Amino acid sequence: MEIYQLKVFLEVARHLSFTEAAEALNLTQPAVSAKIKSLEANLEADLFERLGRKIKLTTVGEYLLESGPTLLALESRLVREIEEIKQGKLNRLQIGCTASILNGWLPKFLFAYRQKYPDIDLQCVPFGSTQAIYQALADGTIEIGFSETVLDGFDAVVSESIDSFQYCLIVAADHRLANSQWLSLRNLTSETWVFPAAETPERLALETRLGELGLDLSDFSHHEVVQSPSLMSTFMSQGHYLGFASSFQFQAERRAKLLTAIPLQEFPLSLKLFMLRPKLAAKVSRQPKRKSSLKPVSRPVSQLVRLMRERTHHSREYKRSQHSRTTQKVSDFAVGKLSEKQFANSKPTSSPVSKSLVPDSPASDGPVYNGLAVGNQLGIQPIYLQSPNAFPSRPRTSETLTITIGTQNKTIQTVTAGIIIQKLGLLEHFLPREGRYVGVGYDIQWRDFTSGAPIVNDLQADRLDIGILGDYPLLLSGMAAGDVSTSEPNPIADRAVAAKTRLVSFVASNPDGAGNTVIVPHRSPLNNLVDLRSRVIAVPFASAAHGMIMRSLSRVNLLPEVTLTSIENLNIHSLTPRNPQADGYAYFAPLHDIASHKGQFRRLLEHGDVEQLPTFHGVVVREAFADEHADIVIAYLKALIAAQYWYESTPSALSLVSNWVGLAPEIVAKTLGYQRSGATGLFFPETRIRTDWIAEHIQQLRGIAGNEAIGDIHLDSWIQPQLLEAAISSM
């Protein structure tokens, strides 16, 4: 196929007329017809259907009409660049980006580039939207682009993550909210706002996130829309409007302390910044070099890409090396070496969130504390919010899908699976909205419980879709269909096993089993497990603590000689009722620490007395829901992974979670510590399902009277790790 043949074809295809194409090309009609016949012969396919005097494109013709202009643009660029090579140099670099990137992120790279390559004719063009950048790349107007929005899935452009940034709230330094450390869009709808112009990446990100949360710009009763950042700055500084912007914007005003940035709860994690290149050019740049007698030509775009990769890598390494002191403060607080007051005073800004979460510098690798990236320092991979679609489609439908989730928010080791996802709106963010879910509305119903027994019952009764459970109730959820009675000491006796749930992920683990224990009054004569003979122990039935006390007593052949009585209506604020019949209480973490702190109780079972059997919490999903809505389960698991990353990489997480659950920060830290940063805690976040631990629990429980049927759980069919694998691979 010749280029000129393609040009003739495109003219005929545009006009659907040989005569008009001939006039446009200044050729005779027979010459045009000959070119088309020659092209069809080369391709061995008809390009037009002849319908009398009219013509119509065939399927091959439609494809060539769609793809041909890209080939012509490439041909034009090649001719131009070859001419420059003949002159001995390639001296032009054309860059496209959004205005915020040009003003806030790109200049330092361009300056460094010009210092290194002063002979390059550098041209940088700002565009109002990512769509415009895409078109400029596709038609060859620019050679490389940068955008806050990804363009994966489009034929002409390839996207590569080059850096990260955050969206935040911007206000005047003297605004009444300027000293706020953490704000939510949901609580600011009655404030006066100034919003960026339509089609800008900031506006697209805001509208997309609001849509996920069931909100709209119209919910903000007082707002203006402006077309330029300078006008937006004026509204914020002089009119005390609230503004929404990326961390690239208004950097000079923030350094001058005229404006200040405040983290938003709806944007708790970073987003990726993308480098965009024409797909053909990107493929060519990755080809291995061939030996040639000609001197290799170093293209300006390759030089720029290399420089940017080097500088962003060095920036990350510097931030990691500087982060150790901050990490140590977090560790000391978590293990109790620093009081809450000392921890707050040691930070550059007061809790709950440092304003430095919104960085002025590039290459922040995940959340930032005191200007330092913390994610990779903790040994975990950064997790990002999803980039909004640059070409959004918003079909509407009347369908609403309800998702019910049972959590135990005051069981601190499970907060990453419940209250954190809920408060940060992470499930709404990751829920599927393509394919069969296009236009579907979601009604997420969070139901908080004090223990696992009612969650098990509601899963079995189809009143919950997803449940967060500790080891023993987690196993109960996989038992027989129908209501599982959790009001008796041995709730699963004589039941045929037909699991109605699927175990899809772990949430938190304690490798040595110290998460459950027995507490007794300080003056109690009881000192060890053997002293419980002929005693009464109160325990929340069908809880992890219930499983622990049964296993522990069975291990020393005391189970028949100890009376286990149920704690009805478990209340986190009244854990130790004055029950003269109870000699002690078996609790799961953090309830035993709360009771010991408030009720003058002490642990009866210390580490050496407790069986060395790991305890864990996990996510179980109703079987029918997992089968019908696997994409939603995957979305929930992605939200769980993001919540765990947020908790482990955000030092303010302790204070925030403490506020959300209404428990002291010391309890939070003692229960779910910063394990990857060196701090200790009873549990550490973990999603990997440990089948060996589950099997050991089953092995020990099946030998206890009334629990024999638990041994019939078929782990191969009950455990479904594929959904977790899919979530991890798509993050």
Side-chain angles (χ1 to χ4, degrees):
M1 181 176 67
E2 299 175 359
I3 292 295
Y4 190 68
Q5 289 176 331
L6 178 59
K7 291 179 179 178
V8 173
F9 162 77
L10 292 176
E11 284 297 329
V12 177
R14 292 188 186 104
H15 295 286
L16 289 179
S17 169
F18 285 84
T19 302
E20 293 180 20
E23 292 176 358
L25 294 167
N26 197 25
L27 295 173
T28 65
Q29 183 173 329
V32 172
S33 298
K35 288 292 184 183
I36 296 300
K37 288 182 180 180
S38 176
L39 179 58
E40 289 178 328
N42 290 339
L43 296 176
E44 298 182 351
D46 292 335
L47 300 174
F48 297 98
E49 295 179 7
R50 278 74 173 178
L51 306 172
R53 293 186 177 182
K54 296 182 178 180
I55 59 174
K56 177 184 177 182
L57 284 167
T58 64
T59 302
V60 175
E62 290 176 349
Y63 174 77
L64 192 57
L65 174 61
E66 179 182 353
S67 304
T70 301
L71 185 56
L72 289 183
L74 177 60
E75 185 259 353
S76 176
R77 186 164 65 246
L78 288 174
V79 170
R80 186 170 61 247
E81 292 179 356
I82 288 172
E83 184 62 31
E84 292 178 345
I85 291 174
K86 288 161 59 178
Q87 297 174 8
K89 60 181 179 180
L90 276 171
N91 63 349
R92 186 186 67 256
L93 177 58
Q94 295 170 306
I95 303 171
C97 62
T98 60
S100 58
I101 290 176
L102 179 58
N103 293 326
W105 179 82
L106 193 56
K108 59 190 70 179
F109 292 102
L110 297 186
F111 178 78
Y113 182 81
R114 291 302 297 271
Q115 294 294 107
K116 192 170 184 178
Y117 305 103
D119 295 332
I120 298 299
D121 178 13
L122 193 62
Q123 300 174 10
C124 189
V125 182
F127 290 87
S129 67
T130 302
Q131 294 95 318
I133 298 176
Y134 170 82
Q135 188 59 48
L137 285 165
D139 62 25
T141 305
I142 60 174
E143 299 170 89
I144 188 170
F146 298 93
S147 173
E148 299 93 332
T149 305
V150 68
L151 282 171
D152 282 342
F154 293 90
D155 292 337
V157 173
V158 62
S159 303
E160 176 187 340
S161 173
I162 191 69
D163 211 332
S164 62
F165 68 100
Q166 288 185 303
Y167 286 112
C168 52
L169 177 69
I170 304 289
V171 298
D174 60 347
H175 193 283
R176 61 182 175 81
L177 297 176
N179 292 324
S180 302
Q181 306 299 319
W182 181 268
L183 291 172
S184 170
L185 289 171
R186 292 183 184 276
N187 300 328
L188 299 172
T189 56
S190 61
E191 298 288 337
T192 303
W193 283 82
V194 56
F195 291 129
E199 296 188 354
T200 60
E202 307 87 61
R203 176 72 169 270
L204 177 60
L206 177 61
E207 290 181 333
T208 300
R209 190 69 175 113
L210 291 176
E212 294 170 355
L213 300 171
L215 299 172
D216 189 84
L217 285 185
S218 61
D219 293 317
F220 295 81
S221 52
H222 308 286
H223 71 268
E224 299 278 353
V225 176
V226 297
Q227 303 302 313
S228 70
S230 60
L231 188 55
M232 190 173 181
S233 177
T234 301
F235 272 71
M236 292 185 295
S237 59
Q238 297 186 21
H240 278 199
Y241 283 64
L242 274 62
F244 178 83
S246 76
S247 52
F248 299 138
Q249 297 176 285
F250 309 111
Q251 291 187 9
E253 293 90 337
R254 286 190 280 136
R255 283 193 291 267
K257 301 189 182 302
L258 300 175
L259 299 176
T260 187
I262 303 171
L264 282 169
Q265 188 164 300
E266 289 75 12
F267 292 87
L269 300 178
S270 297
L271 289 88
K272 294 178 180 179
L273 174 69
F274 295 97
M275 177 171 61
L276 313 173
R277 288 183 287 165
K279 187 162 288 187
L280 288 176
K283 289 181 179 178
V284 170
S285 68
R286 291 194 295 268
Q287 294 297 322
K289 294 182 179 179
R290 298 181 180 180
K291 294 183 179 179
S292 171
S293 59
L294 298 176
K295 183 179 179 180
V297 176
S298 180
R299 297 183 61 196
V301 66
S302 300
Q303 297 166 343
L304 179 64
V305 170
R306 189 182 310 113
L307 181 144
M308 285 185 163
R309 287 173 176 166
E310 290 174 354
R311 288 177 66 88
T312 54
H313 173 74
H314 291 161
S315 177
R316 290 189 182 99
E317 291 302 315
Y318 172 77
K319 291 177 180 180
R320 291 171 192 167
S321 67
Q322 295 294 310
H323 178 65
S324 58
R325 292 183 61 189
T326 300
T327 300
Q328 188 60 51
K329 290 177 183 177
V330 177
S331 302
D332 290 346
F333 172 65
V335 300
K337 293 182 180 179
L338 284 179
S339 68
E340 184 178 8
K341 182 177 180 180
Q342 290 172 325
F343 180 57
N345 291 337
S346 72
K347 295 189 293 183
T349 57
S350 59
S351 64
V353 175
S354 171
K355 291 185 184 178
S356 295
L357 184 69
V358 186
D360 287 332
S361 57
S364 60
D365 199 0
V368 175
Y369 172 75
N370 194 19
L372 306 176
V374 301
N376 279 356
Q377 178 70 19
L378 301 181
I380 54 180
Q381 293 297 319
I383 302 297
Y384 300 94
L385 296 181
Q386 298 175 139
S387 175
N389 189 349
F391 295 88
S393 59
R394 298 179 181 175
R396 295 186 177 182
T397 178
S398 58
E399 181 182 358
T400 298
L401 184 59
T402 300
I403 307 169
T404 55
I405 305 172
T407 65
Q408 301 180 65
N409 289 332
K410 285 186 170 58
T411 304
I412 299 301
Q413 54 269 36
T414 70
V415 292
T416 59
I419 193 67
I420 292 178
I421 296 177
Q422 181 182 359
K423 288 292 186 180
L424 302 184
L426 291 173
L427 179 54
E428 291 90 337
H429 179 68
F430 289 107
L431 280 170
R433 302 183 189 275
E434 303 295 334
R436 60 180 287 206
Y437 298 101
V438 169
V440 171
Y442 292 101
D443 177 18
I444 304 174
Q445 298 182 1
W446 297 90
R447 298 178 56 195
D448 188 28
F449 298 86
T450 55
S451 67
I455 295 179
V456 175
N457 279 334
D458 283 359
L459 283 166
Q460 296 286 358
D462 296 339
R463 291 189 291 266
L464 287 175
D465 300 312
I466 300 173
I468 317 303
L469 295 166
D471 43 58
Y472 184 52
L474 182 141
L475 292 173
L476 296 184
S477 76
M479 298 304 297
D483 287 336
V484 174
S485 171
T486 52
S487 60
E488 299 296 332
N490 301 310
I492 58 174
D494 303 323
R495 293 187 178 272
V497 176
K500 289 190 66 179
T501 64
R502 292 289 180 264
L503 174 62
V504 297
S505 175
F506 270 14
V507 171
S509 301
N510 178 292
D512 57 20
N516 306 291
T517 192
V518 175
I519 60 171
V520 295
H522 280 302
R523 296 182 180 179
S524 171
L526 306 179
N527 292 303
N528 54 54
L529 195 64
V530 177
D531 291 342
L532 295 181
R533 180 180 281 108
S534 301
R535 300 287 186 167
V536 176
I537 299 298
V539 59
F541 277 165
S543 68
H546 185 196
M548 177 276 299
I549 192 64
M550 284 193 298
R551 295 191 309 269
S552 298
L553 292 174
S554 177
R555 177 166 51 90
V556 293
N557 299 316
L558 282 179
L559 184 56
E561 301 183 52
V562 177
T563 301
L564 299 181
T565 184
S566 175
I567 298 178
E568 304 292 346
N569 300 319
L570 183 64
N571 187 332
I572 195 77
H573 301 294
S574 181
L575 291 172
T576 54
R578 300 305 178 185
N579 183 348
Q581 297 180 345
D583 298 291
Y585 303 87
Y587 280 132
F588 49 88
L591 303 189
H592 47 66
D593 283 320
I594 297 172
S596 298
H597 179 71
K598 292 184 176 181
Q600 302 299 312
F601 281 71
R602 60 177 170 83
R603 287 172 176 258
L604 175 70
L605 303 182
E606 295 298 337
H607 182 73
D609 300 315
V610 178
E611 54 190 343
Q612 301 296 302
L613 180 62
T615 185
F616 48 85
H617 290 71
V619 179
V620 295
V621 182
R622 195 164 49 83
E623 181 182 48
F625 188 84
D627 291 341
E628 185 177 0
H629 298 294
D631 288 338
I632 293 179
V633 179
I634 292 172
Y636 172 83
L637 294 176
K638 290 167 72 172
L640 169 62
I641 294 167
Q644 292 192 343
Y645 173 74
W646 177 87
Y647 179 81
E648 292 202 24
S649 62
T650 307
S652 55
L654 292 176
S655 297
L656 287 169
V657 171
S658 171
N659 291 334
W660 291 340
V661 300
L663 294 174
E666 306 89 85
I667 297 294
V668 176
K670 190 174 183 180
T671 305
L672 188 62
Y674 283 76
Q675 192 266 348
R676 290 181 177 87
S677 66
T680 58
L682 283 175
F683 290 83
F684 63 91
E686 181 179 45
T687 56
R688 180 170 59 111
I689 300 173
R690 294 295 301 266
T691 306
D692 53 336
W693 294 0
I694 298 171
E696 183 61 28
H697 273 258
I698 291 175
Q699 179 63 29
Q700 294 195 22
L701 286 166
R702 67 188 302 178
I704 297 174
N707 288 273
E708 294 85 357
I710 205 170
D712 296 330
I713 293 179
H714 301 290
L715 296 185
D716 290 342
S717 59
W718 181 53
I719 299 174
Q720 194 167 351
Q722 298 87 352
L723 297 178
L724 178 61
E725 294 167 4
I728 293 172
S729 65
S730 62
M731 293 295 284

